[in-house]
């Protein structure tokens, strides 16, 4: 989200999901929407089939949405910045950009214009493999839209250039005047139910709730008062990926992990295991004995979403109610109660009667949530920012002006991924998800039905590569990277691009993240899950 | 009110928008016209023929879902003539399949041949899984419609060779709502009518599991009868009116679909989408609709555990909280607050995330708080 925050001043979906059906051109890049956000993908499909919108899909894999696309740009893995710069090159060269908008709403255009000059469609074809003619057509199509919507997900962010990728998309959208209008926007699709909420609530090392900076003295003063404290730490903390590094080096002594399973979700799993084992105290609070919980010193049983009251904030910034439907098994407790008990015991009493009380405090200390109450969201959620009790909420961000004032163009050059195929590891690996499983499988793999439909890991490989390696469908393969190896069956598919295989990361027994690269985006600290180099062998 | 766009329904002046059907105009103005095939936001099939209305000056009754509202029209939706026509059509529909619900509780000796036939196949001896939630049943009771003929009912066998959806063709009234849901709402384009419009089929009439069906279950949600049923419902035959439904937000991806969790005796029996409200307007995906087993799975953690050597041993909450508080306090004193890190979660509520960061900052005294959003 760092990329959007830098460009616009706020890092969230700029437009609501329902706006997708109001767009006349939609660009989907780095999102396998039908499998990862299935219900949201229905908006894209309806926009095309019922509203006559045109769809551009940019993805190396032949994902299902390509069936609905006017243009499918099959670029080489990790060349997103070059692709977008190429589109902007065409749009500027052909004078198709929104001059009034660029003039009145943005800054930094001169530098951008200068930079994209070198990204001629022909040059971009060399980098991305997308035919120049196709790139030109797609650029013209997007630039010609009254309202152009951009949707992206982890396929954009999980690169060492993730922040750059996002900035490029922000550039493209601003260039064509697509931010702050109905049906437009740059829209990151969040992968987990309450990622947006976890960020909004200050589950980040550098901000309190509502993205109020911990190193801003005025903010800190306010929080000290609100929380009846004498002091609060003034330096930003460190992100999860660095916590693991410090644990590995013995400098991090204790971790309290709530509802996360880094033992499957982090890159380079053997490293994570050593890091966690190195801690003096590992507390894991979860609904199952996950791979991470199995390493813990103390495991705390918590309540699932169906067993508690509260709110989630969805990918479109809409705060919605969560309600208790069943009681928790055994002694399992709501996470909020566990945290309160622990705080009480450590000498800082947290006394709340129920989640509604906590939400009242959130509204008091969080400007973007100030106007939201349980009563107001009883039937339908409200989009933040919602500063006052009579404010209707904000479906479309940056309407009159950007959160930061003027929208900022970033002249972003293309950089190749951290690890490229070579003689020893000649194939690209990209990772992702399948429709029937979710994240590390702690939830979906408890369903016999879902397991029947997606029982095990596979390696999606192109027909041509299969021929080269003499692989038949369902052959057991060894997939080896510089960091580890796993076994999985071959699935020969027209979805895969030649020179690249795809592996879903859900499965413990063939954890794709044993292979992936820990190289991080320098700003967002996101690992490059989407690109690494591997070799394959037939398993004996 | 726009004086150029006025239609009078049951004496009420109603405004309408361009190309709106009488049925839609009525619904929007709070007037109910019964229908089995109408599905909002799709093009009506006109197949159930229940939504008949009278238009002043016209001899024949018309289908309100197929007739566009026009200025000055005077429409009646509930005359004896309409009721009779609806009853006749409902009797035709009930007689077309294994709709045995209305005879379920009668003495077996009083059954007609038709009823015996309807109850004959083994799977139909028990209550129809749609009992109590069936729109055909509701209308049959309301219009006092009864089965009329004793013709042998022939239908393709029940298809249940997939984990989630049972297709009982003997109860299909061919209304086409499932076809509309699949093609126009979810746009998965998996099912359609066969050429003679006598069966809803996948491409080449394959079972769902061998088609490109993605098991979103939209077809199950919109089926007005017992032809498309979730497998769990088919197997456990939850009695009507014994469950309660609780509205909440789905816990899978970031879309935040609004769902009803249907609960019986503290057991989750079903999940359905909440119609008419965003972001999903009733739609769900396979995980949200059918992937709820994890909640009440036997592998759920039910008690705190503390490591004793290589093993995790059961402990009380007091023991666990004491242990953690002491150890965290000790490590904080010895190595400083920044030697401790907290990972909060994209899975827990806002309220809990807020407290987790407050705990890290106010109780431990560190900004080392993060979650796995990046991962």
């Amino acid at each position: 989200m760092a990329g959007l925050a830098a460009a616009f001043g706020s890092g969230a979906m700029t437009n609501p999901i329902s706006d997708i059906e109001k767009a006349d051109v939609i660009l989907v890049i780095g999102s396998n929407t039908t499998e990862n956000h299935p219900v949201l993908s229905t908006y894209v499909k309806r926009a095309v089939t019922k509203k006559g919108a045109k769809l551009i899909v940019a993805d190396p894999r032949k994902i299902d949405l390509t069936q609905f696309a006017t243009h499918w740009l099959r670029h080489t893995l990790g060349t997103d910045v070059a692709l977008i710069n190429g589109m902007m090159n065409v749009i500027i060269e052909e004078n198709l950009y929104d001059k009034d908008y660029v003039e009145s709403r943005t800054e930094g255009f001169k530098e951008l214009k200068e930079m994209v000059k070198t990204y001629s469609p022909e040059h971009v074809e060399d980098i991305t493999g997308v035919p120049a003619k196709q790139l030109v057509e797609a650029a013209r199509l997007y630039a010609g839209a009254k309202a152009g919507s951009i949707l992206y997900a982890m396929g954009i962010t999980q690169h060492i250039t993730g922040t750059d990728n996002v900035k490029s998309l922000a550039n493209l959208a601003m260039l064509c005047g697509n931010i702050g209008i109905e049906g437009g926007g740059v829209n990151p699709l969040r992968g987990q139910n309450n990622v947006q909420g976890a960020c909004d609530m200050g589950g980040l090392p550098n901000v309190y709730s509502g993205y109020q900076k911990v190193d801003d003295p005025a903010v800190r003063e306010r929080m000290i008062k609100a929380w009846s404290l004498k002091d609060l730490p003034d330096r930003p903390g460190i992100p999860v990926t660095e916590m693991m590094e410090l644990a590995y080096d013995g400098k991090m002594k204790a971790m309290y992990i709530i509802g996360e399973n880094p033992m499957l979700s982090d890159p380079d799993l053997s490293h994570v295991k050593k890091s966690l084992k190195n801690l003096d105290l590992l507390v894991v609070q979860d609904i199952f004995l996950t791979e991470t919980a199995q390493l813990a010193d103390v495991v705390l049983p918590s309540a699932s979403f169906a067993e508690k009251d509260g709110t989630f904030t969805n990918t479109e910034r809409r705060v919605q109610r969560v309600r208790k439907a069943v009681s928790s098994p055994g002694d399992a407790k709501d996470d909020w109660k566990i945290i309160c008990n622990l705080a009480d015991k450590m000498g800082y009493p947290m006394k709340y009667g129920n989640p509604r009380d906590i939400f009242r405090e959130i509204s008091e200390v969080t400007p973007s949530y100030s106007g939201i109450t349980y009563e107001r969201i009883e039937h339908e959620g409200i989009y933040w920012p919602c500063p006052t009790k009579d404010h209707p909420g904000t479906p479309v961000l940056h309407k009159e002006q950007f959160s930061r004032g003027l929208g900022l163009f970033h002249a972003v050059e293309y950089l190749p991924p951290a690890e490229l195929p070579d003689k020893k590891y000649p194939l690209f690996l990209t990772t992702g998800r399948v429709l029937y499983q979710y994240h590390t499988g702690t939830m979906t793999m408890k369903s016999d039905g879902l397991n029947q439909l997606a029982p095990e890991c596979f390696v999606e490989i192109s027909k041509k590569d299969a021929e080269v390696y003499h692989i038949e469908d369902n052959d057991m393969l060894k997939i080896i990277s510089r960091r580890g190896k796993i076994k999985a069956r071959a699935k020969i598919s027209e979805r895969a691009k030649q020179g690249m295989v795809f592996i879903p990361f859900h499965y413990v027994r063939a954890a794709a993240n044993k292979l992936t690269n820990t190289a991080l985006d320098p700003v967002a600290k996101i690992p490059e899950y989407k690109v690494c180099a591997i070799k394959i062998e037939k398993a004996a | 009110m726009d004086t150029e766009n006025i239609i009078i329904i049951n004496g009420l002046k109603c405004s309408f928008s361009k190309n709106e059907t009488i049925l839609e105009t009525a619904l929007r103005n709070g007037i109910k016209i019964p229908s089995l095939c109408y599905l909002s936001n799709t093009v009506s099939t006109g197949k159930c023929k229940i939504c008949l209305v009278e238009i002043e000056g016209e001899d024949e009754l018309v289908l309100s879902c197929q007739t566009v509202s026009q200025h000055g029209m005077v429409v009646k939706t509930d005359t004896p003539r309409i009721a009779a026509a609806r009853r006749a059509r409902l009797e035709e529909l009930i007689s077309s399949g294994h709709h045995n619900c209305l005879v379920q509780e009668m003495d077996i000796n009083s059954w007609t041949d038709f009823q015996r036939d309807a109850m004959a196949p083994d799977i139909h001896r028990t209550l129809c899984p749609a009992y109590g939630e069936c729109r055909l049943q509701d209308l049959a009771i309301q219009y006092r419609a009864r089965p009329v003929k004793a013709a042998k009912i022939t239908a393709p066998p029940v298809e249940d060779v997939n984990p989630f959806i049972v297709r009982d063709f003997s109860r299909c009234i061919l209304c086409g709502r499932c076809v509309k849901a699949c093609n126009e709402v979810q746009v998965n384009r998996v099912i359609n009518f066969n050429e003679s419009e006598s069966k809803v089929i996948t491409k080449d009439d394959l079972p769902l599991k061998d088609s490109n069906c993605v098991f979103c279950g939209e077809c199950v949600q919109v089926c007005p009868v017992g032809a498309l049923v979730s497998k769990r419902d088919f197997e456990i035959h939850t009695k009507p009116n014994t469950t309660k439904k609780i509205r909440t937000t789905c816990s899978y991806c970031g879309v935040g679909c609004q769902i009803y969790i249907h609960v019986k005796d503290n057991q989750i029996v079903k999940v359905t989408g909440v119609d008419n409200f965003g972001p999903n307007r009733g739609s769900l995906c396979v995980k949200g609709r059918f992937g709820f087993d994890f909640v009440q799975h036997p592998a759920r953690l039910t008690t705190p555990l503390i490591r004793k050597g290589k093993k995790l041993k059961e402990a009380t909450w007091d023991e666990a909280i004491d242990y953690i508080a002491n150890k965290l306090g000790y490590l904080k004193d010895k190595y400083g607050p920044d030697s401790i890190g907290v990972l909060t979660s994209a899975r827990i509520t806002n309220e809990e995330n807020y407290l987790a960061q407050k705990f890290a900052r106010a109780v431990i005294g560190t900004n080392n708080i993060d979650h796995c959003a990046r991962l």
Side-chain angles (χ1 to χ4, degrees):
Chain A
M1 298 305 112
L4 282 192
F8 305 151
S10 173
M13 247 173 109
T14 58
N15 289 60
I17 293 169
S18 56
D19 260 24
I20 296 169
E21 282 188 273
K22 295 174 187 161
D24 40 25
V25 175
I26 302 164
L27 167 62
V28 175
I29 181 165
S31 158
N32 181 9
T33 329
T34 57
E35 296 202 63
N36 293 329
H37 299 91
V39 172
L40 189 142
S41 81
T42 67
Y43 284 79
V44 179
K45 293 187 280 186
R46 284 195 303 267
V48 173
T49 56
K50 296 192 90 170
K51 308 280 165 84
K54 300 276 189 260
L55 174 65
I56 303 166
V57 173
D59 204 299
R61 294 174 70 215
K62 192 179 178 186
I63 56 172
D64 285 346
L65 266 191
T66 59
Q67 295 167 33
F68 295 84
T70 313
H71 293 290
W72 170 32
L73 311 178
R74 193 172 210 181
H75 59 311
T76 301
L77 208 55
T79 62
D80 304 272
V81 169
L83 186 81
I84 303 304
N85 281 350
M87 285 178 75
M88 290 193 286
N89 173 291
V90 175
I91 292 167
I92 295 174
E93 287 292 316
E94 297 190 4
N95 256 315
L96 303 173
Y97 65 100
D98 187 336
K99 286 173 207 72
D100 291 345
Y101 189 92
V102 168
E103 181 74 19
S104 62
R105 300 280 314 265
T106 69
E107 59 187 327
F109 177 64
K110 231 181 93 189
E111 292 80 357
L112 178 83
K113 188 177 171 185
E114 202 53 41
M115 189 274 303
V116 300
K117 265 189 187 155
T118 55
Y119 290 84
S120 69
E122 294 71 27
H123 178 52
V124 170
E125 177 171 343
D126 290 341
I127 302 172
T128 63
V130 174
K133 187 169 164 277
Q134 216 190 4
L135 181 85
V136 171
E137 284 171 4
R140 286 178 186 157
L141 182 62
Y142 178 79
K146 263 193 241 126
S149 173
I150 297 175
L151 309 176
Y152 72 88
M154 296 289 200
I156 278 293
T157 55
Q158 288 179 341
H159 293 273
I160 52 160
T161 57
T163 305
D164 287 350
N165 290 349
V166 174
K167 285 176 179 168
S168 293
L169 294 175
N171 287 341
L172 177 64
M174 288 191 290
L175 187 63
C176 299
N178 277 326
I179 305 294
I181 59 167
E182 249 191 22
V186 178
N187 298 301
L189 312 181
R190 312 304 299 258
Q192 297 184 60
N193 60 329
N194 204 29
V195 180
Q196 188 65 54
C199 295
D200 294 352
M201 290 301 107
L204 292 167
N206 58 335
V207 289
Y208 302 108
S209 61
Y211 306 94
Q212 307 176 86
K213 295 204 163 67
V214 297
D215 50 7
D216 178 334
V219 169
R220 200 169 60 250
E221 215 41 58
R222 217 170 42 241
M223 295 310 293
I224 287 172
K225 212 172 143 198
W227 290 348
S228 314
L229 292 166
K230 289 201 188 80
D231 200 14
L232 274 168
D234 57 355
R235 273 178 310 135
I238 53 171
V240 49
T241 37
E242 283 178 32
M243 287 184 206
M244 293 297 170
E245 286 305 316
L246 285 186
Y248 190 83
D249 296 339
K251 288 175 192 152
M252 178 67 57
K253 298 296 179 188
M255 284 183 78
Y256 176 19
I257 301 181
I258 304 170
E260 297 274 13
N261 190 13
M263 268 302 292
L264 260 198
S265 61
D266 271 36
D268 197 353
L269 294 179
S270 52
H271 188 84
V272 173
K273 188 167 184 179
K274 282 182 198 147
S275 303
L276 293 176
K277 282 193 137 176
N278 218 7
L279 292 166
D280 287 359
L281 176 68
L282 173 61
V283 180
V284 176
Q285 182 168 311
D286 212 311
I287 62 173
F288 291 111
L289 196 64
T290 60
E291 292 74 18
T292 307
Q294 285 166 31
L295 300 177
D297 299 297
V298 187
V299 178
L300 302 175
S302 58
S304 79
F305 85 107
E307 295 149 14
K308 58 192 172 193
D309 288 302
T311 55
F312 289 152
T313 304
N314 78 349
T315 187
E316 53 176 351
R317 298 174 281 105
R318 201 197 295 217
V319 184
Q320 308 191 105
R321 275 300 314 275
V322 175
R323 294 182 185 86
K324 179 174 176 162
V326 290
S327 54
S328 296
D331 282 343
K333 274 193 197 182
D334 292 8
D335 293 275
W336 67 269
K337 286 185 184 158
I338 305 174
I339 298 167
C340 288
N341 289 349
L342 200 50
D344 288 347
K345 198 80 197 173
M346 292 186 72
Y348 180 89
M350 285 192 186
K351 303 285 181 210
Y352 301 96
N354 50 46
R356 190 185 290 255
D357 288 350
I358 306 170
F359 196 85
R360 269 194 213 107
E361 181 175 318
I362 294 171
S363 308
E364 279 163 24
V365 301
T366 314
S368 52
Y369 278 64
S370 290
I372 305 176
T373 62
Y374 274 26
E375 289 72 26
R376 288 191 69 191
I377 58 172
E378 177 65 24
H379 295 293
E380 194 146 33
I382 293 178
Y383 301 91
W384 66 255
C386 176
T388 57
K389 298 276 186 285
D390 53 5
H391 190 285
T394 313
V396 180
L397 291 180
H398 318 300
K399 260 192 165 163
E400 308 300 324
Q401 61 164 11
F402 287 93
S403 306
R404 72 178 291 278
L406 291 175
L408 179 60
F409 284 111
H410 291 85
V412 179
E413 298 271 8
Y414 160 70
L415 282 175
E419 189 178 64
L420 287 169
D422 54 19
K423 273 205 172 129
K424 211 164 167 214
Y425 298 93
L427 292 170
F428 269 124
L429 164 69
T430 194
T431 64
R433 307 175 188 211
V434 298
L435 173 65
Y436 300 108
Q437 299 292 355
Y438 180 75
H439 215 60
T440 61
T442 35
M443 292 151 67
T444 47
M445 285 178 198
K446 303 294 187 301
S447 158
D448 293 342
L450 293 174
N451 286 336
Q452 260 183 57
L453 295 170
E456 60 171 6
C457 191
F458 59 86
V459 189
E460 181 185 283
I461 185 168
S462 72
K463 210 173 155 199
K464 285 197 175 145
D465 286 328
E467 277 167 18
V468 172
Y469 291 94
H470 307 290
I471 291 165
E472 308 266 333
D473 219 17
N474 278 322
D475 278 355
M476 188 55 92
L477 304 181
K478 263 196 266 182
I479 308 97
I480 306 157
S481 80
R482 289 189 172 82
R483 291 151 298 275
K485 60 182 170 194
I486 64 168
K487 276 193 199 174
R489 287 188 191 282
K491 186 172 184 177
I492 299 170
S493 165
E494 60 166 0
R495 285 179 148 215
K497 188 174 157 82
Q498 194 183 354
M500 182 191 109
V501 301
F502 165 85
I503 301 178
F505 76 89
H506 310 292
Y507 299 90
V508 188
R509 273 186 298 176
N513 288 336
K514 283 185 180 157
L515 308 172
T516 47
N517 197 346
T518 49
L520 298 180
D521 176 287
V523 181
K525 312 288 183 193
I526 299 177
E528 188 152 65
Y529 286 129
K530 294 297 181 193
V531 196
C532 74
I534 52 122
K535 61 179 173 183
I536 52 176
E537 293 169 3
K538 265 205 246 190
Chain B
M1 201 181 264
D2 188 342
T3 48
E4 285 305 296
N5 282 332
I6 298 297
I7 168 174
I8 295 167
I9 306 177
N10 298 345
L12 282 172
K13 279 187 183 176
C14 302
S15 66
F16 62 89
S17 45
K18 209 180 158 212
N19 293 329
E20 198 175 57
T21 63
I22 296 173
L23 179 70
E24 288 163 337
T25 305
L27 285 177
R28 218 172 26 75
N29 285 280
I31 299 164
K32 279 190 188 146
I33 299 178
S35 165
L36 290 167
C37 68
Y38 172 75
L39 185 63
S40 56
N41 299 312
T42 65
V43 179
S44 283
T45 62
K47 278 181 169 289
C48 81
K49 300 187 169 61
I50 298 294
C51 69
L52 294 162
V53 295
E54 259 178 46
I55 299 176
E56 206 173 85
E58 291 200 20
D59 293 341
E60 299 289 319
L61 298 177
V62 300
L63 293 177
S64 60
C65 74
Q66 300 290 305
T67 313
V68 172
S69 294
Q70 278 170 23
H71 182 64
M73 262 184 181
V74 179
V75 178
K76 287 192 177 130
T77 71
D78 243 338
T79 65
R81 183 180 164 211
I82 294 169
R86 282 185 190 150
R87 180 192 301 150
R89 177 59 182 154
L90 286 166
E91 293 187 336
E92 216 175 288
L93 288 173
I94 302 174
S95 312
S96 72
H98 285 145
H99 302 291
N100 56 4
C101 54
L102 300 177
V103 296
Q104 189 72 45
E105 274 138 37
M106 291 182 193
D107 177 0
I108 195 158
N109 294 317
S110 73
W111 288 8
T112 63
D113 288 345
F114 165 76
Q115 289 161 340
R116 285 174 201 280
D117 188 31
M119 295 301 286
D122 277 353
I123 55 155
H124 293 144
R125 283 188 199 286
T126 46
L127 208 55
C128 173
Y131 192 105
E133 290 179 341
C134 173
R135 290 164 64 87
L136 179 59
Q137 182 187 40
D138 291 347
L139 290 177
I141 293 167
Q142 185 188 340
Y143 286 88
R144 280 164 292 147
R146 291 169 170 279
V148 282
K149 59 180 181 189
K152 189 91 184 148
I153 291 155
T154 53
V158 169
E159 179 197 317
D160 61 354
V161 285
N162 71 70
F164 298 127
I165 298 173
V166 175
R167 299 165 86 196
D168 182 349
F169 297 98
S170 73
R171 287 185 170 130
C172 176
I173 56 167
L174 298 169
C175 68
R177 274 167 73 95
C178 56
V179 172
K180 292 285 156 184
C182 189
N183 290 279
E184 292 183 33
V185 180
Q186 285 270 351
V187 207
N188 288 326
R189 307 194 284 204
V190 176
I191 49 172
N192 217 321
F193 284 109
N194 63 1
E195 217 169 311
S196 62
E197 306 215 339
S198 59
K199 186 185 176 191
V200 173
I201 59 166
T202 64
K203 190 167 176 286
D204 301 328
D205 204 2
L206 295 169
L208 291 177
K209 77 171 172 58
D210 301 321
S211 73
N212 53 347
C213 173
V214 291
F215 296 98
C216 66
E218 189 93 15
C219 57
V220 174
Q221 176 144 341
V222 302
C223 181
V225 291
L228 294 166
V229 191
S230 84
K231 204 164 198 176
R232 194 68 56 89
D233 269 2
F234 198 79
E235 286 163 358
I236 62 178
H237 288 287
T238 318
K239 283 249 176 192
N241 307 322
T242 57
T243 63
K244 55 176 181 166
K245 57 181 191 181
I246 294 95
R247 183 173 160 184
T248 188
T249 302
C250 179
S251 75
Y252 279 107
C253 79
V255 173
C257 292
Q258 295 301 292
I259 59 173
Y260 284 119
I261 299 184
H262 301 244
V263 177
K264 188 190 179 194
D265 303 330
N266 201 41
Q267 288 295 307
I268 300 178
V269 293
K270 183 159 71 175
V271 169
T272 54
V274 178
D275 286 324
N276 303 324
F277 285 106
N280 51 314
R281 301 194 298 226
S283 294
L284 293 176
C285 77
V286 61
K287 294 185 287 280
R289 190 183 300 278
F290 297 119
F292 55 79
D293 286 349
F294 76 92
V295 174
Q296 300 188 304
H297 194 274
R300 279 286 300 274
L301 287 168
T302 55
T303 175
L305 305 170
I306 299 180
R307 182 168 298 282
K308 299 260 159 66
K310 286 203 162 169
K311 288 206 168 128
L312 285 163
K313 291 271 163 76
E314 291 191 359
T316 65
W317 273 106
D318 283 345
E319 287 165 351
I321 295 290
D322 279 351
Y323 183 96
I324 299 165
N326 287 336
K327 193 97 188 231
L328 280 180
Y330 167 78
L331 292 170
K332 180 182 161 181
D333 288 346
K334 187 158 179 201
Y335 301 103
D338 287 340
S339 69
I340 298 168
V342 178
L343 286 191
T344 185
S345 173
R347 327 283 319 140
I348 61 176
T349 64
N350 286 329
E351 291 76 1
E352 292 165 339
N353 272 296
Y354 173 80
L355 288 193
Q357 60 101 29
K358 185 174 177 180
F359 178 82
R361 294 179 161 125
V363 182
I364 306 289
T366 180
N367 283 313
N368 290 342
I369 166 96
D370 201 3
H371 65 283
C372 293
R374 304 174 173 86
L375 308 176

